[in-house]
Amino acid sequence: MKKNWFKVLACLLAIFVLAACGKSSSEASKESSSSSSKEEAVSGASQKTYTDPSELKDSYDVIVIGSGGAGMTAAISAQEAGADVAIFEKMPIIGGNTSKSSGGMNASETKFQKEQGIDDSNDLFYEETLKGGKGTNNPELLCYMVDNSAEAIDWLDSIGITLSDVTFSGGFSKARIHRPADGSAVGGYLVDGLYNNLMEKDIPVFVNADVTEITEKDGQANGVKVTVGKEEKTISAKAVVDAAGGFGANMEMITEYKPELKDYVTTNHEGATGDGIKLAEKLGAATVQMDQIQIHPTVYQEEGKAPFLVSEAIRGEGAILVNAEGNRFYNEMETRDNVSAAINKLPEQYAYVVFDQQLREHSKSIDTYEEQGMTVKADSLADLAKEIGVSADNLEKTVENWNEYVVDKNDTEFGRTTGMDRDMSKGPFYAIKIAPGIHHTMGGLKINTNTEVLKEDGSAIPGLYAAGEVTGGVHGSNRIGGNAVADIVIFGRQAGTKAAEFAK
Ligand code: ADP
């Protein structure tokens, strides 16, 4: 009953909003500025230097809290719009959860989709995200995100961050998730590329700079208190962008909003403590959907090792999930909440991601899984089954059936329709043991499409903008894989631009 109402609501929202939403990407791109510099972003350039604290000024036009994808994008965009901007990052290194992002960035009507003959539309991107979020996504925010997605892919490309490999994400009927050309994880590539731009544009990045307060006068944000090293300083600003990320590593907050998650591991970096939400709440900011916490189905979590996410893109490229008996048990390309629930329903509450050498060669992100010792590898399926302790007969039969479904493009067992472009026939074969883990906090600060932070009564807090995981609403109750990177880049750009405009 409840589910039907969600569907009805989703459809009503979609019909109501699409009238205002269906702006094509080419129209959207005409409205936005785009950088002309075409620099090569160096993937894997891990050695980074940051601004010396002695260079900290007393005031900036715009201060950005947090150096994840949203913060760095906001800073670059603020400078493009003419602002003097600085980033404060509390950790010793930049990147936040963005660094850990393994999939890609969803976007529709992009040049890369067109080059590859993928016929997609902003309206379909909207509808499928709304369906994935069970109709609870904020329609205006979602509309803004899809309409500006292709332009954001172009903007990234123009600054040397090229996401040209397009594949499937769970819950989508079109290949829409954009990744680096070599199929490597998007996070490191994006962070390195944005960092290179910050350096090239002389945007100061202060690390070990913990923002403890957003200051205000007469209700208007006018700077921050920040502890740099051991010294607390008050720095003034005409506008503040809060891009401090989510609270997926703050178990106190997680269990406050969702007590049943108390025993879950988290994929989040240790700085994901929800500071940005608390800082803005002190200025009267409202929050939305705080109990919407995403569990990712495929997290490697062996005893004594740091939990590590196995990207959904691996399934999008053709991997399957098998249970402890060596059998498939669910449509692997269903949305994250449903796949997680299916794993949790298994008596063993874990599963294996299984793939072959063809997929291994296509997906560079698997290099990392191998380096981390996560993969089990064997020359034959029977040997792989032995290694992971499942029935060889079952695993061989499972893969034999799967290969038939791929040929027929018809999964008669579980109705999977995407990620079926290659069969599983070339050894060696691989398996990674996974189980669900806390991955993303979908709720957060209430914002509008100008990224202004809103109070409970819907009025904006002057001078305060927010973007990325610190905000709530765009993903509803289930985020589709690839929509976090879309969120941080698209709303990060908007926050930087709007904060700079406010600062003028
Ligand atoms: P998003 O994906 O929204 O960009 P990330 O998690 O990638 O979010 O980045 C958020 C960044 O904000 C992290 O690097 C985190 O360490 C930083 N951060 C969180 N709280 C503070 C704070 N109080 N002061 C400065 N930086 C902060």
Side-chain angles (χ1 to χ4, degrees):
M1 240 352 232
K2 212 168 180 185
K3 226 176 178 181
N4 286 339
W5 276 112
F6 275 134
K7 272 186 197 153
V8 171
L9 183 63
C11 291
L12 283 175
L13 280 174
I15 292 162
F16 174 72
V17 175
L18 280 174
C21 183
K23 188 169 57 163
S24 76
S25 58
S26 56
E27 283 170 285
S29 71
K30 275 184 230 144
E31 291 169 15
S32 332
S33 66
S34 155
S35 161
S36 59
S37 90
K38 183 109 189 166
E39 293 293 321
E40 186 64 22
V42 184
S43 182
S46 51
Q47 203 57 42
K48 296 186 172 67
T49 54
Y50 303 111
T51 313
D52 194 89
S54 64
E55 290 178 35
L56 185 58
K57 297 195 294 188
D58 292 336
S59 107
Y60 295 89
D61 292 335
V62 175
I63 285 175
V64 176
I65 311 170
S67 69
M72 288 197 278
T73 306
I76 295 167
S77 302
Q79 195 199 55
E80 279 177 4
D84 178 30
V85 57
I87 298 179
F88 293 138
E89 165 57 54
K90 75 170 176 179
M91 302 301 285
I93 53 166
I94 61 162
N97 271 347
T98 304
S99 295
K100 302 185 113 196
S101 170
S102 61
M105 169 170 162
N106 290 329
S108 47
E109 302 186 19
T110 68
K111 63 179 176 190
F112 297 121
Q113 284 180 314
K114 283 172 195 156
E115 275 167 23
Q116 290 163 46
I118 300 160
D119 178 25
D120 196 6
S121 74
N122 293 349
D123 287 355
L124 191 61
F125 182 10
Y126 177 92
E127 277 167 34
E128 292 185 341
T129 299
L130 190 63
K131 186 166 174 243
K134 300 182 176 57
T136 62
N137 316 56
N138 176 304
E140 287 86 11
L141 291 178
L142 180 54
C143 199
Y144 184 87
M145 188 174 90
V146 302
D147 279 352
N148 288 278
S149 62
E151 194 277 335
I153 289 281
D154 289 346
W155 178 76
L156 286 174
D157 192 29
S158 77
I159 62 168
I161 301 167
T162 302
L163 301 177
S164 55
D165 182 56
V166 192
T167 187
F168 285 95
S169 207
F172 279 170
S173 66
K174 300 282 179 181
R176 189 176 287 147
I177 188 165
H178 292 64
R179 307 193 297 156
D182 62 0
S184 58
V186 74
Y189 178 74
L190 183 64
V191 167
D192 287 348
L194 292 171
Y195 169 81
N196 290 345
N197 276 274
L198 293 173
M199 293 301 106
E200 188 191 304
K201 296 168 203 298
D202 283 328
I203 297 174
V205 184
F206 298 98
V207 294
N208 297 311
D210 186 4
V211 174
T212 53
E213 189 179 326
I214 299 170
T215 57
E216 53 101 20
K217 186 160 188 283
D218 301 330
Q220 178 169 328
N222 68 355
V224 297
K225 281 190 181 160
V226 57
T227 305
V228 188
K230 286 197 173 98
E231 217 181 323
E232 183 176 89
K233 299 190 177 208
T234 302
I235 313 290
S236 65
K238 294 176 186 152
V240 175
V241 176
D242 184 348
F247 58 95
N250 183 335
M251 278 320 277
E252 212 174 287
M253 278 178 87
I254 292 280
T255 47
E256 177 187 341
Y257 294 107
K258 215 151 190 185
E260 62 268 36
L261 298 182
K262 77 173 173 27
D263 294 326
Y264 276 70
V265 300
T266 181
T267 63
N268 284 207
H269 85 121
E270 64 178 284
T273 45
D275 300 11
I277 295 171
K278 292 181 214 153
L279 292 169
E281 277 183 323
K282 291 208 174 107
L283 269 68
T287 55
V288 291
Q289 300 180 332
M290 289 294 282
D291 59 344
Q292 298 303 330
I293 296 166
Q294 180 162 67
I295 303 306
H296 193 291
T298 56
V299 180
Y300 173 80
Q301 43 191 287
E302 288 303 281
E303 193 85 30
K305 292 196 182 173
F308 206 96
L309 190 119
V310 178
S311 172
E312 194 164 303
I314 304 296
R315 282 172 278 145
E317 295 291 351
I320 58 170
L321 292 176
V322 302
N323 60 17
E325 291 172 345
N327 296 323
R328 284 179 71 222
F329 54 92
Y330 200 64
N331 172 0
E332 296 86 349
M333 295 306 290
E334 254 288 351
T335 49
R336 291 174 171 182
D337 53 344
N338 289 335
V339 179
S340 294
I343 297 170
N344 282 335
K345 259 194 227 143
L346 297 170
E348 61 275 19
Q349 298 193 327
Y350 62 78
Y352 294 96
V353 181
V354 174
F355 51 91
D356 75 345
Q357 183 63 19
Q358 288 179 83
L359 196 152
R360 170 71 193 87
E361 283 163 16
H362 186 77
S363 208
K364 198 164 161 39
S365 53
I366 299 169
D367 291 0
T368 318
Y369 308 154
E370 289 207 309
E371 282 159 21
Q372 303 278 333
M374 292 158 54
T375 47
V376 177
K377 178 177 172 182
D379 287 337
S380 68
L381 283 167
D383 286 347
L384 185 70
K386 211 187 290 167
E387 293 267 349
I388 62 176
V390 307
S391 150
D393 288 349
N394 286 354
L395 187 62
E396 282 175 338
K397 185 71 191 152
T398 295
V399 173
E400 190 187 315
N401 288 344
W402 172 248
N403 288 342
E404 278 172 25
Y405 305 153
V406 169
V407 172
D408 301 345
K409 289 277 174 290
N410 184 17
D411 171 12
T412 51
E413 272 180 292
F414 300 105
R416 174 165 163 178
T417 55
T418 58
M420 300 176 81
D421 290 341
R422 56 173 73 83
D423 68 3
M424 219 179 285
S425 53
K426 183 177 172 191
F429 297 91
Y430 301 80
I432 304 175
K433 188 177 175 186
I434 52 82
I438 294 165
H439 183 52
H440 186 94
T441 47
M442 295 172 288
L445 298 175
K446 189 175 179 181
I447 57 163
N448 58 21
T449 55
N450 286 331
T451 63
E452 293 169 297
V453 177
L454 305 178
K455 295 185 190 170
E456 209 60 71
D457 65 7
S459 64
I461 299 171
L464 184 58
Y465 297 82
E469 199 176 346
V470 75
T471 69
V474 74
H475 306 297
S477 56
N478 178 62
R479 180 174 68 79
I480 300 280
N483 274 353
V485 177
D487 179 10
I488 61 180
V489 174
I490 293 160
F491 288 104
R493 291 196 69 206
Q494 176 75 329
T497 307
K498 291 293 167 188
E501 279 172 13
F502 186 87
K504 275 188 184 145

